[in-house]
Amino acid sequence: MRTMMHEEIIFSGFGGQGVLFAGQLLAYCVLTEGRHVTWIPSYGPEMRGGTANCTVVVSDEPIGSPMSQHPSVAVVFNNPSLEKYEAPLKPGGLLVVNESLIVAPPTRTDIEIVILPATTLATELGDTRMTNMILFGALLSRRPLVSVATVEHILIEKLGARQAHLQETNLRALAHGLELGAAQHA
Amino acid sequence: MRTMMHEEIIFSGFGGQGVLFAGQLLAYCVLTEGRHVTWIPSYGPEMRGGTANCTVVVSDEPIGSPMSQHPSVAVVFNNPSLEKYEAPLKPGGLLVVNESLIVAPPTRTDIEIVILPATTLATELGDTRMTNMILFGALLSRRPLVSVATVEHILIEKLGARQAHLQETNLRALAHGLELGAAQHA
Amino acid sequence: MAAELMKGNVALAEAAIRAGVEAYFGYPITPQTELLEHMAKRMPELGRAFVQAESELAAINMVYGAACTGARAMTSSSSPGISLMQEGFSYIAGSEVPCVVVDIMRGGPGLGNIQPSQSDYFQVTRSAGHGDYHAIVLAPSSVQEAIDLMVEAFDLADEYRHLVFVVADGLIGQMMEPAELPPMQPLRRPLGDWALTGADGREKNIITSLELNAPDLEELNNRLQAKLAHIREHQQRSAEMLTEDARLIVVGYGTSGRIAETAVKQARREGMKVGLFRPISLWPFPEKRLSALADQVGAFLVVEMNAGQMLDDVRLAAGGQVPVTFYGRTGGMVPMPEEIHQEIVTQYNKLTTSAV
Amino acid sequence: MAAELMKGNVALAEAAIRAGVEAYFGYPITPQTELLEHMAKRMPELGRAFVQAESELAAINMVYGAACTGARAMTSSSSPGISLMQEGFSYIAGSEVPCVVVDIMRGGPGLGNIQPSQSDYFQVTRSAGHGDYHAIVLAPSSVQEAIDLMVEAFDLADEYRHLVFVVADGLIGQMMEPAELPPMQPLRRPLGDWALTGADGREKNIITSLELNAPDLEELNNRLQAKLAHIREHQQRSAEMLTEDARLIVVGYGTSGRIAETAVKQARREGMKVGLFRPISLWPFPEKRLSALADQVGAFLVVEMNAGQMLDDVRLAAGGQVPVTFYGRTGGMVPMPEEIHQEIVTQYNKLTTSAV
Amino acid sequence: MAIAAIAEEKIVYQRPESLEDISTHYCPGCTHGIAHRLLAEVLDELGVRERTIGISPVGCSVFAYKYINTDGAEAAHGRAPAMATGIKRVMPDRVVFTYQGDGDLAAIGIAEIIHAATRGENFTTIFINNAIYGMTGGQMAPTTLPGQRTTSSPLGRDVELAGFPIRMAELLSSAPGAAYVARRSLHNVKEINRAKKAIKTAFEVQLAGLGFSMVELLSACPTGWKLTPPEAMDWIEQQMVPVYPLGDYKVAEGVEQLAKRR
Amino acid sequence: MAIAAIAEEKIVYQRPESLEDISTHYCPGCTHGIAHRLLAEVLDELGVRERTIGISPVGCSVFAYKYINTDGAEAAHGRAPAMATGIKRVMPDRVVFTYQGDGDLAAIGIAEIIHAATRGENFTTIFINNAIYGMTGGQMAPTTLPGQRTTSSPLGRDVELAGFPIRMAELLSSAPGAAYVARRSLHNVKEINRAKKAIKTAFEVQLAGLGFSMVELLSACPTGWKLTPPEAMDWIEQQMVPVYPLGDYKVAEGVEQLAKRR
Amino acid sequence: MAKGRIEINENHCKGCSLCTIACPQNVIAMATDRVNAKGYYPAVLVDPEGKCTGCAICAVACPDVCITVYRQVSAKASSAAAAR
Amino acid sequence: MAKGRIEINENHCKGCSLCTIACPQNVIAMATDRVNAKGYYPAVLVDPEGKCTGCAICAVACPDVCITVYRQVSAKASSAAAAR
Ligand SMILES: Cc1ncc(C[n+]2csc(CCOP(=O)(O)OP(=O)(O)O)c2C)c(N)n1
Ligand SMILES: Cc1ncc(C[n+]2csc(CCOP(=O)(O)OP(=O)(O)O)c2C)c(N)n1
Ligand code: SF4
Ligand code: SF4
Ligand code: SF4
Ligand code: SF4
Ligand code: SF4
Ligand code: SF4
Ligand SMILES: [Mg+2]
Ligand SMILES: [Mg+2]
């Protein structure tokens, strides 16, 4: 029902995979670039069993609902998330999948799919926690919601002094994701 | 604002003086004689310090308010009760006073007053608890709300087997009160 | 069985016993304590359950538990105690368990006092606690009606598996009036296949108000709302006096309705066309009958022992067709027939003059 | 100070701190717990009082105590916890002590779930607890407005020595949005000569809601009602969008108002003369403005995340002049702009056809 | 406070300043009056009246704030400890006490008192154990003795159905945050004097910031018990004391010294 | 329950009948699962499943009624003992238990559990002490250890401000109405087996009508503690057990015999 | 033996008689001839032989703080404390 | 030495690894090659030499009741009880 730019992005996976952080990172970037943005996590006992997800809405106009029934983008970090969000994704939407933790690949044909073994790649990069940055990169490669420069800048800011040592790996993970995401395009 | 028979009677004194019983006795008698009647006690912390009072409304028509701002009769068993109920009594109303436990006699001239040393008389009768029956008798001598026969009958019924031994003294106290009440008339 | 003199609180208790209440849980509070005291005496005699709970909170949750087994269970309290039961009420309504609660209202807010009041009207009729629902609320205006509605309350609770209030005030609770009690009903249990009695030879039963999944909880709420709509359609109760040709109708429930009756009669004697409309079910509010009357009268005068709560319901039912004025006393003050009569005269004159 | 991304619950907590709250007492409950957690971190840092109470009951009474000293004090909870505070609210209102309470509403009745809801509307606007009173109730629809109203809540509480609610739902409590915080205010105490600080060189002060004597309690209630009348006169708040020429006005507060905004804009794009009226103060309800609008529009469409509660207030304000229809979701379901838009179309068509 | 009234006389006893010179609403022989007086005398002797805030309960002593000449508030039934917590947390330098009956403290308010004690809230509680709900007309309290007749245990408290009396002093003494917990009685002059000493210690504990302090006072309710005042005093001694032994149940270290200091 | 699966094999362990064969919502390594299993095994062994009614709390175990294969109800936060009282009073021949967390039982519900124990209500309580509020995301509980970091005690529980841990087994053992009160732990197989024996005794106490029975179980919340499941087990052993000593705190006479009878 | 006397605030007195029992010298009695404004028979000092020692025991026993106790200065102040 | 084996319900398994620690024979390991539907790496019996004794200790340790334990009938039933 809309004319102007409006995207609804869901990040979903286990707690500890940096799912919420990925969503917040996007939100901060959008804020810096001056668009309207909302971020909302799933909350409460759903979290039992360790699953976590959040929705980021990016829009050119004030945002009514921060929640989404039919997201335009879903970044799924594990199998339950894939099972949960493949179906509701809106036709033509983008599905970013962490191949490392799924049982069977997505089956929908009316959506755009990027699938990469993020956890394995992260482990190769020497830090499993980089899974989220790799998937984030892949997302950006297909939906340039914000500029890579903004992302790098905010990422460094958010890591801050205490986690400065993680800067480099994070940036490499991000780049890696961008690459692979773009590559699959061709 | 009324045409037909309607009386609002207050009994007031210490707990233990049989104040509430006197009121209930009247109510039971009215019920037997087939008029409308309500009985309501003062309740709650007012009782602290041992004061007790109740209001009986007797009427030919269904009773709206069981409470009374301006009673037509007040039977006061002690000094605080006298202080509390002399003033609100409606002009032409009846005030029955237990002379034994008051500090100063009532002063109003626009009401009918019966004053008798009920507690002293009761003690003479051999039972201080007869105070209420003496005052009840005095009340009846001026306001024949119910027949003496009914009162005697109900009184015996209410005393029941367990207090049968008190029947006689109660009846004598009642008679005594009727007498003295009538006597003061002349 | 002939009429006997009975105190409202005692009459309510004994009526509940005759209606087959199997379990009473309560906590003392003036002006309803005689109800608890009567239960303390009678229930053990009859081999039924009586517990003086440590608080109203515990009491309502004991009632909730006992009612889960299909037993007729109840508690009673007064305003502050009713406030403490709000969460429990909401759980009971949400899990659709039949319970009966007596509220003998007293002056508020806060500790207030123990004198008669009707200031819990909002608290009991709107939603007693959080969440979307209305309890059934019955308001007697005499000791006899208290007895009759007490019995009815249990039947309604069972019929709808819902929370039912019988609300009165210190005046009705404390006064003695001639009244007749119903015969003793036999206990009947379990009332429904939903009750918790042990999963012996059947699937297990669960009683809960929890539905983490929003669509499921909305489902539950739709069911609840459908039930409430049915109740609203079929359970509106009210009494009337001299309304046929009335130009001014006084609207009052419970004690204020009772006292208004005296005032209305007096007004009639003085030739004023005045009637009385007395809601007996406060929820569902007798809106059907009241809006019918709205077509016929010149004005409504609402009388309550509060600052104007049922007033909203009368205005909603009157739908802006006729003026609705209000006369109220608060803080435990009980209006005298004279005051109400005075107010009737004032409002009635407005009508006639405006008519001229 | 530039806008930063903030979670609603955290924004509310930090705003209260900036407003000079000296004491926070609370008990965890989803979806408001981040508010308590932020207080747990910040209040000790600032040398202010933080206690995780043993229950909501204890929490509200701790707030009552702290507020008696003139300190700005608050608690926060969600629906079931709010039910447990009812008695405390009534005491606070009755003894006229300024307190602020945040209610992040969730699905009910009973345990229900933790999803966003607006089903406490009755509970907070009618009389939160027994007795005659209304609390001031403010309902933000964005994180920024939550911050602004939080500060305002403390000022109103102090100005009127009254209980003030800030009510939102899980959605506003949990979401992050860009918003700006106010500067830190200095603490100011004692606020009034009524406060309990020790009777040093003055008569002793007493804070109580007890008046055993009915005329005195009525006196207290008259004072309270006069205060409420003044608030009702001066503190009605609302926001509007595209109402000037609107034939249909959607009425919604908080989250449902916010979501309705999207739907209304869409309807406008499609050429429908539709507007939005968003009550910000739920009590006092912005009835003045709404009844003014009633003269101008063809109909109102009330949208709530409950089974229809504010609906009563809209109907009362509209006074039967124009039809008032309702669209609601319950059980923690949040309406999507599409649904509301659909409902707008339906109602708008009715209007235009009926107009023909 | 011994000021000579006339030349050759001195006053050896007169009403304490912290007690308003008005008549109370209590029944004849009700020991709430004695407890009030002792409390007031202690406040006088410690010279803290001007910085004391008292919390009255819901119960017959609901009007304690009228009688005690300090700032005061009226709590909801059982919630006095929560209110006291709120006050003390924002005004740690004030002296705060709660005055509570056994229905108030041991029934509806047991959660609040236990948690206040557990947190070691630094206020003082005067706990009036009269084994009954006085104000509401003599119902069973958690402290009612086995077999004791009340209006809600007409045949006497049946421990099978209504449970056993709760001993609050014993219960609260187990809370680490409690610094001083003692039980005294008001049934005769000797015990009354002992009770006063304990109350004084309790407030000294608060002044020293040692934590929660409570004095439980076995108290008479002639009206609720349906006894004359003298009978009521005997009933405390013969019936209550055996079930509620007098003594100190918790004396945290640091408290001894205080007592000695006197 | 040893039925041969295939000719030369027999099953020596399988899921108890009183436990539904569904996956729980608990986090990996959460010992709520173990507690459920032990409870179910005891109901099986006593053969009372068909006449048992269980009360679930508000807490992570809010869905216990889904997992335990008996009639069940969901109580308001902390009120399970009141509900159980209501049920047991009208159905004394049924087996009734409450399953409660430490926030539920020791914080908001402490009044209800103490009074149920004091009245000697004849039901059984399984008390899961995991030193935290699990469901709401890891806030401080009354049982949280001194210095323990939680989301509401970010610098660690400061006993000066937040008080000391409450020891419920000790506290409730003082209630005359309590017949059996024990504390066990679930941190290793040996303790798990001991825990089961205690749970069995508790239910036998109820079946014998001896009064209130409770087993407190030291339990792991890896998520709330931010530890791996194995780390969490060690944390119980090293941190919790010293503060919450294991053992029997109340064994009323009559109970010994029951144990022997086995 | 110290000499003393007491003054009883008759209006506060509720006639509970506890002082009469407490007094070691038995010099307090309940009035029988008159009631106070509350309607109670108040306690009165009946001490023709001046046996009152000013020990203040009655004052300590009185629930309604009706009694003020005086003692002739000769008496040791210490015993006053004792009475407290 | 008794001979036994276990069956692990992989779909209930949450990969907490407590069974692997509990097993005295060290014949349980966590899968690394695959995750279950929940996305967890499940526990698996790795017992080429048939060291499992069917002692059921793993089953007792498992919070999710994933493990069924079998033992060859030769084994004494008593030890089964012991494991309970
Ligand atoms: C919430 C609530 N419940 C009940 C009451 C009624 N009530 C007033 S005082 C009281 C008990 C008083 O007993 P206790 O605390 O022992 O004090 P006492 O009168 O014996 O000194 C009760 C139940 C109330 N006011 N508020
Ligand atoms: C009246 C009320 N207050 C608060 C809550 C929120 N709440 C849900 S569970 C819980 C505490 C759970 O902790 P615990 O009892 O220890 O159980 P656990 O999750 O640790 O097993 C709270 C505070 C609620 N649902 N209801
Ligand atoms: S009822 Fe009992 S406690 Fe209350 S004032 Fe009278 S004697 Fe004292
Ligand atoms: S949060 Fe803790 S208690 Fe709750 S399920 Fe997870 S591990 Fe278990
Ligand atoms: S002071 Fe002592 S001697 Fe004198 S009256 Fe009092 S008690 Fe008796
Ligand atoms: S003790 Fe006090 S109240 Fe009682 S009789 Fe003596 S003076 Fe009067
Ligand atoms: S049964 Fe015993 S040996 Fe076999 S896997 Fe389990 S723990 Fe290991
Ligand atoms: S203990 Fe159970 S849940 Fe944990 S890894 Fe082993 S089988 Fe899986
Ligand atoms: Mg008491
Ligand atoms: Mg816990």
Side-chain angles (χ1 to χ4, degrees), chain G residues 8 12-20 30 43 61-64 66-67:
Chain G
I8 297 174
H12 284 194
C13 177
K14 292 176 186 155
C16 73
S17 83
L18 291 172
C19 55
T20 64
M30 304 310 296
C62 176
D64 288 278
C66 309
I67 304 178

Side-chain angles (χ1 to χ4, degrees), chain C residues 250-323:
Chain C
V250 179
V251 187
Y253 55 95
T255 293
S256 38
R258 166 196 188 109
I259 296 175
E261 185 170 331
T262 311
V264 167
K265 283 191 195 140
Q266 178 61 18
R268 276 282 172 177
R269 288 197 202 91
E270 298 163 6
M272 293 177 253
K273 287 205 159 88
V274 180
L276 174 71
F277 183 78
R278 184 166 63 81
I280 291 171
S281 59
L282 302 187
W283 199 92
F285 186 76
E287 58 197 352
K288 287 191 214 167
R289 180 57 188 152
L290 197 75
S291 29
L293 289 169
D295 306 335
Q296 140 201 338
V297 297
F300 290 108
L301 167 58
V302 175
V303 179
E304 294 183 87
M305 279 145 58
N306 62 39
Q309 297 189 17
M310 177 180 69
L311 178 59
D312 278 6
D313 288 329
V314 175
R315 287 179 56 209
L316 284 166
Q321 293 180 62
V322 293

